[in-house]
Amino acid sequence: IMHRFTIILSLAIVMVLELIGPGTMRVLAQDSTPAATPIAPGETVSINGAEIYYETHGPVDGPPVLLLHGAIGNTEEFDNLVPALVAAGYRTIAFDQRGRGRSTWGDRPITYEQMAADTVAMLDELGIDRADVVGWSDGGIVALELALTHPERLGRVVAYGANSRPEGNYPEPQMSDQMPAFEDFIADYQRLSPEPERFEELLETLGTLITVAPDFTDEELGSISVPVLILDGAEEEFVKPEDTKRMAELIPGAQLVFIPDTGHFAPLARPEEFNRIVLEFLQA
């Protein structure tokens, strides 16, 4: 598996890590943060030909916040954020995208458009007409896709660590001590997935996807009508800061925030600061 991953990188599919999200990798917090509240097991529902795992937490009548993970991440990426949202009175909804975490692959391709369609279907399944969205990496891209195609279903949108087009990524990751070992991602996938034998196939699928997508045009970004926070770490390892700034400049009224002394993994490495910024924006 590691050999195949090296091949993928050598073929210029070098941004898989940027889109995979950190799964259950535990980066030691740089600030003093209490241990995250354990998250209870969720449920599974059939959506568009796949068995999709999801979790909801917080008051049933609380304002809903949809949490969208990175490419081969899963709901556990938000173990630090969920307790903070629940304590503030929100209802959180997090689910494993098809082929990731505890969800099956199904019979449809993994694309940003399909992930957005699955997300809308999940909201329909739960009877949620409108939700705020916090998306990390791949999840941020899906959030922007939803802002373009289903703005009526969204409140406020936080897009963290997302890129707007393939050339918005660095040709090679800017390595940092906050990046996890790739073996951690393999271990997470093997632990959670009902189809663990498809990990290599998933890497190849995602590797191909990021060479062509997302590809948001200036006009598309300029047409987004929902409130958006473009958020990233100032030391981002994968996304070029000029691409992050491009999104904020083109999306009408968008806010732009860079978190200092961290990069792509702030929800784990700087959870207190990340949570504070997200809550301030959602409560504005």
Side-chain angles (χ1 to χ4, degrees), residues 51-188:
E51 297 300 310
I52 302 297
Y53 172 88
Y54 72 96
E55 297 178 357
T56 62
H57 299 278
V60 175
D61 59 349
V65 180
L66 181 65
L67 306 176
L68 302 176
H69 65 72
I72 61 169
N74 56 75
T75 57
E76 294 177 355
E77 288 184 354
F78 297 108
D79 280 4
N80 289 319
L81 178 59
V82 166
L85 290 171
V86 170
Y90 290 97
R91 177 192 183 193
T92 66
I93 304 97
F95 71 97
D96 294 338
Q97 292 280 5
R98 63 177 57 234
R100 273 65 62 85
R102 298 168 178 86
S103 297
T104 65
W105 192 299
D107 56 2
R108 299 191 183 186
I110 293 177
T111 65
Y112 294 119
E113 293 79 9
Q114 185 61 56
M115 286 185 265
D118 292 343
T119 302
V120 172
M122 177 61 73
L123 292 177
D124 291 343
E125 180 72 26
L126 298 177
I128 297 172
D129 294 329
R130 190 183 186 94
D132 293 331
V133 181
V134 179
W136 179 354
S137 194
D138 235 26
I141 295 169
V142 175
L144 293 174
E145 178 70 24
L146 290 169
L148 284 170
T149 58
H150 293 86
E152 75 284 355
R153 305 301 298 270
L154 305 185
R156 291 176 166 261
V157 172
V158 178
Y160 170 73
N163 62 298
S164 68
R165 48 191 177 182
E167 58 268 34
N169 291 328
Y170 288 116
E172 295 184 4
Q174 311 296 295
M175 304 301 289
S176 79
D177 59 6
Q178 293 185 17
M179 291 178 62
F182 188 67
E183 289 84 354
D184 292 338
F185 300 122
I186 300 174
D188 274 354

Side-chain angles (χ1 to χ4, degrees), residues 200-250:
E200 212 174 343
E201 180 184 358
L202 177 63
L203 283 185
E204 292 177 349
T205 298
L206 296 173
T208 299
L209 176 63
I210 64 175
T211 64
V212 297
D215 193 15
F216 298 125
T217 66
D218 291 5
E219 292 72 23
E220 286 174 329
L221 293 174
S223 71
I224 291 177
S225 58
V226 300
V228 174
L229 168 63
I230 298 296
L231 179 62
D232 212 338
E235 308 300 326
E236 168 69 61
E237 296 92 343
F238 305 100
V239 181
K240 298 175 182 177
E242 53 265 35
D243 191 68
T244 306
K245 293 174 183 177
R246 171 184 182 251
M247 289 186 285
E249 291 170 355
L250 291 172

Side-chain angles (χ1 to χ4, degrees), residues 80-82 84 267 270-280:
N80 289 319
L81 178 59
V82 166
R270 295 286 303 279
E272 288 185 341
E273 183 69 3
F274 180 83
N275 294 352
R276 180 190 64 80
I277 293 169
V278 168
L279 280 167
E280 285 184 358

